[in-house]
């Protein structure tokens, strides 16, 4: 297997890749952000996902598969971090592992929205992020998550209803 630098050298001349990365990276970072605590980790996930994607496909038209790759890389990172955390806890039983989510909101309304989104079930939250912030179709979301497009649409509707209930006064 080629290392990351060799893969990046192979694809940096491809205008299609540059365009794809420029257009999709911000949405992919936002999508990856739901699994990690920092923007830097999300950016690393997206970079690794692009490298994996290019190693196997080299077709940027399949956005659903690209999102699935980001999701896989994020879950791999979570598992890796989980194993490391277990080892650290076993090595030092006195240190509890607790992490508070950190938001980069500018005002109270953004913090309220971020809190409401974080209270959604994970399945609804990932569909919401893919649909609203990344403008994917339900078919692309379904392909990326391994669910039907009808299930993706249902999760989206449930997420919107939950946000409406949480954020709007009764």
């Amino acid at each position: 297997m080629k290392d990351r630098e060799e893969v990046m050298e192979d694809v940096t001349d491809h205008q299609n890749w540059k365009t794809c990365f420029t257009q999709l990276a911000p949405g992919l970072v936002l999508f990856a952000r739901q699994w990690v605590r920092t923007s830097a980790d999300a950016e690393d996930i997206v970079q690794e996902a692009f490298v994996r994607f290019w190693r196997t496909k080299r077709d940027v038209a399949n956005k659903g598969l690209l999102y699935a790759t980001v999701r896989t890389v994020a879950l791999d990172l979570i598992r890796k971090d989980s194993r490391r955390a277990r080892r650290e806890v076993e090595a030092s039983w006195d240190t509890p592992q607790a992490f508070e989510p950190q938001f980069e909101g500018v005002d109270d309304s953004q913090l309220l929205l971020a809190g409401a989104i974080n209270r959604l079930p994970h399945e609804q939250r990932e569909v919401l992020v893919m649909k609203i912030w990344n403008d994917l179709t339900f078919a692309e979301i379904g392909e990326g998550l391994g669910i039907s497009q009808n299930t993706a649409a249902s999760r989206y509707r449930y997420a919107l209803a939950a946000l409406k209930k949480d954020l709007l006064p009764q």
Side-chain angles (χ1 to χ4, degrees):
M1 281 193 141
K2 296 179 179 179
D3 68 357
R4 182 175 300 188
E5 291 79 23
E6 288 175 339
V7 171
M8 296 308 285
E9 286 173 12
D10 287 347
V11 298
T12 53
D13 293 336
H14 298 285
Q15 187 61 35
N16 198 20
W17 180 86
K18 290 178 185 178
T19 302
C20 174
F21 188 80
T22 301
Q23 292 175 350
L24 296 178
L28 291 168
V29 169
L30 181 62
F31 180 65
R33 186 74 166 90
Q34 64 186 317
W35 288 290
V36 293
R37 294 177 313 210
T38 66
S39 294
D41 286 343
E43 290 169 2
D44 289 345
I45 288 169
V46 170
Q47 180 181 3
E48 179 64 27
F50 262 94
V51 169
R52 285 188 191 181
F53 191 74
W54 276 105
R55 281 181 179 156
T56 59
K57 296 293 175 194
R58 292 187 183 255
D59 180 12
V60 294
N62 193 344
K63 290 193 288 186
L65 187 55
L66 183 56
Y67 276 83
T69 305
V70 169
R71 184 174 187 238
T72 299
V73 171
L75 295 175
D76 288 349
L77 179 67
I78 290 169
R79 284 190 288 272
K80 182 178 111 182
D81 286 348
S82 176
R83 287 190 300 269
R84 186 183 70 235
R86 271 197 315 271
R87 287 191 302 269
E88 289 173 359
V89 167
E90 290 171 2
S92 172
W93 291 101
D94 299 332
T95 308
Q97 295 287 325
F99 299 104
E100 292 296 321
Q102 297 177 4
F103 301 105
E104 298 173 1
V106 175
D107 61 22
D108 290 340
S109 64
Q110 289 176 333
L111 291 174
L112 287 172
L113 179 59
I117 290 171
N118 282 334
R119 286 188 290 277
L120 290 173
H122 183 76
E123 294 82 12
Q124 292 175 14
R125 185 173 59 237
E126 66 185 354
V127 169
L128 184 80
V129 168
M130 291 173 85
K131 180 69 177 163
I132 292 179
W133 283 277
N134 299 298
D135 201 29
L136 295 181
T137 66
F138 290 122
E140 291 171 328
I141 293 169
E143 182 180 355
L145 299 179
I147 58 176
S148 74
Q149 68 182 29
N150 290 336
T151 300
S154 295
R155 289 179 183 177
Y156 178 73
R157 282 192 311 273
Y158 294 141
L160 290 179
L163 288 175
K164 183 179 178 181
K165 183 179 178 182
D166 196 11
L167 295 173
L168 296 179
Q170 299 296 329

